[in-house]
Each structure stands twice: as C-alpha cells, then as structure tokens.
C-alpha cells in the first residue's frame, strides 16, 4: 500500500480571500440572472454554478490530491469569464466592473496560493 499523504489543507488569509471572492462573484452572477429582462440569464446561472462547484472542489478534503489542478481550473474559469465580458461588449452597469475587479483579485489570490504551495513541500501531495 502507498503511504497516506497529508489530507489537510492550510486555511489562512489567502484561502479565505479566495472563498470570499469566489462566493461574491457567484452571488453577483446569480443576482444578475434574476434581473427582469436579462437576456443572459442562463449564462449567469451557469456561471454562478461553475464558480460554486469549483470552490467546493477546491476545499473538499477528498479532492486534495487534485487541489493544484482545481486551482488552475478556477484560474482559467475566471479568466474566461473576464474575457467573455469583454467579448460581449462591456456592459455599462457598474456592477460588471466591480465583478471584474473581484475576479482579477481572485486570480491574484489563486496564483499567490499556488506559489505558496510550491514553497511548502508538504502543501501538495506528490504526483
């Protein structure tokens, strides 16, 4: 049998920031989805669900062996969300700009967490 790897994730300010930013952007997308006359309702709901699923996966102990991969997936998902906002045509509502700032901060926090994990040998299980 293989040796059991560490299954506890370090929870500090960076991880709390990741959770707060991810929840904030998910809830803002859900809020936008329920606005009357919203043409992108389905996309906003799916975006909310995507953020929530990735957040849960990121902190789920059973998926700790895949933490780094999930971290990268959340970075990519957030970057695609930002890119799509630009491609749609920069909606003029100020909530869109606030959401993009939160998402940029989320990417910064996720990259920071990855860099911290690389410095701590026990932070990620051996592949």
């Amino acid at each position: 049998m293989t040796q059991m790897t560490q299954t506890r994730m370090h929870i500090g300010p960076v991880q709390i920031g990741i959770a707060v930013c991810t929840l904030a952007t998910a809830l803002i997308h859900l809020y936008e989805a329920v606005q009357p006359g919203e043409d992108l309702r389905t996309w906003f709901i799916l975006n909310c669900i995507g953020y929530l699923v990735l957040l849960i996966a990121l902190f789920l102990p059973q998926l700790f062996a895949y933490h780094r991969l999930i971290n990268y997936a959340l970075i990519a998902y957030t970057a695609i969300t930002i890119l799509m906002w630009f491609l749609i045509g920069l909606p003029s509502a100020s909530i869109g700009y606030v959401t993009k700032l939160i998402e940029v901060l989320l990417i910064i926090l996720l990259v920071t967490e990855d860099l911290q994990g690389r410095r701590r040998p026990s932070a990620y299980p051996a592949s």
Side-chain angles (χ1 to χ4, degrees):
M1 289 201 148
T2 60
Q3 183 179 358
M4 190 82 160
T5 59
Q6 177 184 352
T7 57
R8 291 187 54 133
M9 183 178 154
H10 169 76
I11 303 292
V14 172
Q15 291 73 27
I16 293 169
I18 289 169
V20 168
C21 288
T22 306
L23 284 173
T25 194
L27 292 175
I28 290 170
H29 282 95
L30 183 60
Y31 169 79
E32 286 296 312
V34 299
Q35 296 306 304
E38 180 52 59
D39 296 334
L40 300 171
R41 176 171 286 125
T42 302
W43 293 110
F44 281 133
I45 291 170
L46 290 173
N47 204 324
C48 172
I49 292 169
Y51 274 115
L52 294 176
V53 166
L54 286 168
L55 178 63
I56 291 167
L58 192 65
F59 289 102
L60 201 61
Q62 294 87 342
L63 297 177
F64 183 73
Y66 305 100
H67 181 82
R68 194 171 214 179
L69 181 62
I70 296 165
N71 193 10
Y72 293 152
L74 186 52
I75 291 169
Y77 191 84
T78 305
I80 290 168
T81 300
I82 294 168
L83 177 65
M84 292 307 296
W85 184 71
F86 280 105
L87 293 177
I88 289 171
L90 297 173
S92 61
S94 60
I95 196 164
Y97 294 97
V98 170
T99 307
K100 297 314 132 198
L101 286 174
I102 294 169
E103 290 167 349
V104 168
L105 177 59
L106 174 59
I107 290 173
I108 291 168
L109 290 169
L110 289 163
V111 169
T112 300
E113 181 189 45
D114 184 59
L115 293 173
Q116 288 176 348
R118 288 179 186 210
R119 285 188 225 126
R120 284 179 285 146
S122 63
Y124 296 116
S127 301

